[in-house]
């Protein structure tokens, strides 16, 4: 994932352990990578789908 998003594994690890927060651009990259909504990534919904 880190290679596909042009990030270091250390950066991804910091997001996973919540020692670093993603900015808007990074949230969009993650949402596109996992094909889910940003609200799903942020825990605002249990529905991973986004609406057109």
């Amino acid at each position: 994932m880190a290679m596909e998003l042009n990030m270091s594994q250390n950066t991804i690890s910091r997001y996973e352990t919540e020692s670093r927060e993603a900015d808007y651009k990074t949230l969009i990259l993650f949402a596109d990578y996992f094909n889910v909504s940003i609200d799903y990534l942020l825990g605002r919904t249990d529905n991973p789908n986004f609406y057109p």
Side-chain angles (χ1 to χ4, degrees):
M1 178 175 133
M3 289 176 60
E4 289 184 36
L5 297 178
N6 198 28
M7 296 180 182
S8 72
Q9 285 204 253
N10 190 32
T11 299
I12 299 293
S13 176
R14 287 183 178 160
Y15 292 134
E16 291 174 334
T17 61
E18 298 180 7
S19 62
R20 182 176 180 172
E21 290 187 9
D23 60 15
Y24 292 120
K25 181 180 175 183
T26 304
L27 285 174
I28 292 168
L29 285 174
F30 288 160
D32 288 347
Y33 181 82
F34 290 111
N35 197 31
V36 297
S37 70
I38 292 175
D39 280 344
Y40 182 76
L41 290 177
L42 295 175
R44 292 174 40 102
T45 181
D46 291 333
N47 184 353
N49 300 316
F50 47 88
Y51 303 100

